[in-house]
Amino acid sequence: MESQPRRSFGYYLGLVFKGMGYGMTHIVPGIGGGIVLVVMGIYEDFVEAIGNFFVRRDRWRIYIPFILCLGLGMVIAMLALSRVITDVTDAYPVATAFFFMGLLVGTIPSVFALHDDMRFTPKRGLALVIGLAIVVGFRILQDRVGVRDAGSLTGVGGLSYNALTSFVAGGASVTPGLDGTYIWLLAGSYDVIIGAIKQITELNFQWGLLISAGVGAVAGILVFSKVIDSFFKKSPSIAYYAVLGMLTGSVYGLWPTEQRSENLFVVIACFVVGTAIAYFMGRKESQLDID
């Protein structure tokens, strides 16, 4: 992160718009927050500011405006898009699921471009299998225990579960190639949380749900920003192979379980469009230096 204490108004306005891009990933399943941060050229700055916030108090003059501007944009995007996204997913669940799967598939080439040495080795293959097993196992567990029918996530148990899964979602949102919103989908809490966010625009606040999700997500971002930055710098290829496994498993996890009759051409088109968007976004991202 650059050290100049003074920035122009345009710089901070740009951070707000970039924060909106990052906030969108908390609403739209399939778009990883970490990938978007890299695409926008602020991934290293973000990880440094969040991961070192409580360690480098001497840099608060730089960190605080950076975080506040991004946070403002993130909140604006989440409030503005929550109703649109939920309306579309409710009306066209199969088509939107295949669009999100297309986003995941289209992201895979960009993961290979994140590091110069991505040749296959046994250790990297094991990392891929572990990443795949984590996501697939989460989906199987969800189906077995009925987490999808978790209800409104009320009570101490529900709110604790919400905070825990939001912690994981927050961590995933800052990891290139992963998607925090997808964790909410797997946990069965996506609809409930997005519904609560949507109701904020109607001045209806579900404080317990919002606070538990917010605290969990922020804590996950803080912890994972520090740990992930270190891990990706020490063993980048192994880390990215684990990411590939998680992306592959996520395609399985997003496969629609509802039997809804939707136009096959529209479903295929949504998958192709999603793949194309992620692929071209990945081409732009691969040109950035994140080492």
Side-chain angles (χ1 to χ4, degrees), residues 1 5 29 49 60 63 92 101 108 140 145 149 169 191 199 212 214 219 227 229 231 280:
M1 178 174 290
W60 277 10
Y63 293 160
Y92 308 100
M101 283 191 285
I108 292 176
I140 293 174
V145 302
D149 301 321
D191 290 335
Q199 290 185 27
S212 61
V227 175
D229 182 51
F231 183 61
F280 286 108

Coordinates of all heavy atoms in Angstrom, one line a residue, residues 1 5 29 49 60 63 92 101 108 140 145 149 169 191 199 212 214 219 227 229 231 280:
M1 N 0.8 -1.2 0.0 CA 0.0 0.0 0.0 C 0.9 1.2 0.0 O 1.9 1.3 0.7 CB -0.9 0.0 1.2 CG -1.8 1.3 1.3 SD -3.0 1.2 2.7 CE -4.0 -0.1 2.0
P5 N 0.3 10.3 2.7 CA -0.8 10.5 3.7 C -2.0 11.3 3.0 O -3.1 11.2 3.5 CB -0.1 11.4 4.7 CG 1.0 12.1 4.1 CD 1.5 11.1 3.1
P29 N -24.0 -15.2 -5.7 CA -23.2 -16.4 -5.5 C -22.4 -16.7 -6.8 O -22.9 -16.5 -7.9 CB -24.3 -17.5 -5.3 CG -25.5 -16.7 -4.9 CD -25.4 -15.4 -5.6
A49 N -4.1 -3.8 4.7 CA -4.9 -3.0 5.6 C -5.7 -3.7 6.6 O -5.7 -3.4 7.8 CB -5.8 -2.1 4.8
W60 N -2.5 3.7 10.6 CA -4.0 4.0 10.6 C -4.4 5.1 9.7 O -5.5 5.1 9.2 CB -4.4 4.2 12.1 CG -4.6 2.9 12.8 CD1 -4.3 1.7 12.4 CD2 -5.2 2.8 14.1 NE1 -4.6 0.7 13.4 CE2 -5.2 1.4 14.4 CE3 -5.8 3.7 15.0 CZ2 -5.7 0.9 15.6 CZ3 -6.3 3.2 16.2 CH2 -6.3 1.8 16.5
Y63 N -4.7 3.3 6.5 CA -5.7 2.2 6.6 C -7.1 2.6 6.7 O -8.0 2.1 6.0 CB -5.3 1.2 7.7 CG -4.0 0.5 7.5 CD1 -3.4 -0.1 8.6 CD2 -3.4 0.3 6.3 CE1 -2.2 -0.8 8.5 CE2 -2.2 -0.3 6.1 CZ -1.6 -0.9 7.2 OH -0.4 -1.6 7.1
Y92 N -36.3 -17.5 -11.4 CA -35.6 -18.4 -12.3 C -34.4 -19.2 -11.6 O -33.3 -18.9 -11.9 CB -35.0 -17.6 -13.5 CG -36.0 -16.8 -14.2 CD1 -36.1 -15.4 -13.9 CD2 -36.9 -17.3 -15.1 CE1 -37.0 -14.6 -14.5 CE2 -37.9 -16.5 -15.7 CZ -37.9 -15.1 -15.4 OH -38.8 -14.4 -16.1
M101 N -22.9 -21.4 -11.9 CA -21.9 -22.4 -12.3 C -21.0 -22.1 -13.4 O -19.8 -22.4 -13.4 CB -22.7 -23.7 -12.6 CG -23.3 -24.4 -11.4 SD -23.9 -26.1 -11.8 CE -25.4 -25.7 -12.6
I108 N -11.8 -20.9 -13.5 CA -10.7 -21.9 -13.4 C -9.5 -21.5 -14.2 O -8.3 -21.6 -13.7 CB -11.2 -23.3 -13.8 CG1 -12.2 -23.8 -12.8 CG2 -10.1 -24.3 -14.0 CD1 -12.9 -25.2 -13.2
I140 N -22.9 -32.5 1.1 CA -23.5 -33.8 1.5 C -24.0 -33.7 2.9 O -25.1 -34.1 3.3 CB -22.5 -34.9 1.4 CG1 -22.2 -35.2 -0.1 CG2 -23.1 -36.2 2.0 CD1 -21.1 -36.2 -0.3
V145 N -28.3 -33.4 7.1 CA -28.9 -32.8 8.3 C -29.9 -31.8 8.1 O -30.5 -31.3 9.0 CB -27.7 -32.2 9.1 CG1 -26.7 -33.2 9.4 CG2 -27.1 -31.0 8.4
D149 N -33.1 -26.2 5.5 CA -34.3 -25.8 6.2 C -34.1 -25.3 7.6 O -34.8 -25.6 8.6 CB -35.3 -27.0 6.3 CG -35.6 -27.6 4.9 OD1 -35.8 -26.8 4.0 OD2 -35.7 -28.8 4.8
A169 N -17.5 -17.6 5.7 CA -17.9 -16.8 4.4 C -17.0 -15.6 4.3 O -16.6 -15.3 3.2 CB -19.4 -16.4 4.5
D191 N -30.7 -17.3 1.8 CA -32.0 -16.6 1.6 C -32.4 -15.8 2.8 O -32.9 -14.7 2.7 CB -33.1 -17.7 1.3 CG -32.9 -18.3 -0.1 OD1 -32.3 -17.7 -0.9 OD2 -33.3 -19.4 -0.3
Q199 N -34.7 -6.2 3.8 CA -35.7 -5.5 4.6 C -35.2 -4.3 5.3 O -35.9 -3.4 5.8 CB -36.2 -6.5 5.7 CG -37.1 -7.6 5.2 CD -37.6 -8.5 6.3 OE1 -37.8 -8.0 7.4 NE2 -37.9 -9.7 5.9
S212 N -25.1 -10.9 14.1 CA -24.3 -12.2 14.1 C -23.6 -12.5 12.8 O -22.5 -12.9 12.8 CB -25.3 -13.4 14.5 OG -26.3 -13.5 13.5
G214 N -22.8 -10.1 10.6 CA -21.8 -9.0 10.4 C -20.6 -9.3 11.2 O -19.4 -9.1 10.7
A219 N -15.0 -10.8 11.4 CA -13.9 -11.5 12.1 C -13.2 -12.5 11.1 O -12.0 -12.6 11.1 CB -14.5 -12.3 13.2
V227 N -3.8 -14.8 7.7 CA -3.4 -16.1 7.5 C -3.2 -16.4 6.0 O -2.2 -17.0 5.6 CB -4.4 -17.1 8.1 CG1 -4.0 -18.6 7.8 CG2 -4.4 -16.9 9.6
D229 N -2.8 -14.4 3.4 CA -1.7 -13.7 2.8 C -0.4 -14.4 3.0 O 0.4 -14.6 2.1 CB -1.6 -12.3 3.4 CG -0.5 -11.4 2.7 OD1 -0.5 -11.4 1.5 OD2 0.3 -10.9 3.5
F231 N 0.0 -17.7 3.8 CA 0.0 -19.0 3.1 C 0.2 -18.9 1.6 O 1.0 -19.7 1.1 CB -1.3 -19.7 3.4 CG -1.4 -21.1 2.9 CD1 -0.6 -22.1 3.3 CD2 -2.4 -21.4 2.0 CE1 -0.6 -23.4 2.8 CE2 -2.5 -22.7 1.5 CZ -1.6 -23.7 1.9
F280 N -13.3 -13.7 -19.2 CA -12.7 -12.4 -19.6 C -12.3 -11.6 -18.4 O -11.3 -10.8 -18.5 CB -13.7 -11.7 -20.5 CG -13.8 -12.2 -21.9 CD1 -15.0 -12.9 -22.3 CD2 -12.8 -12.1 -22.8 CE1 -15.1 -13.4 -23.6 CE2 -12.9 -12.6 -24.1 CZ -14.0 -13.3 -24.4

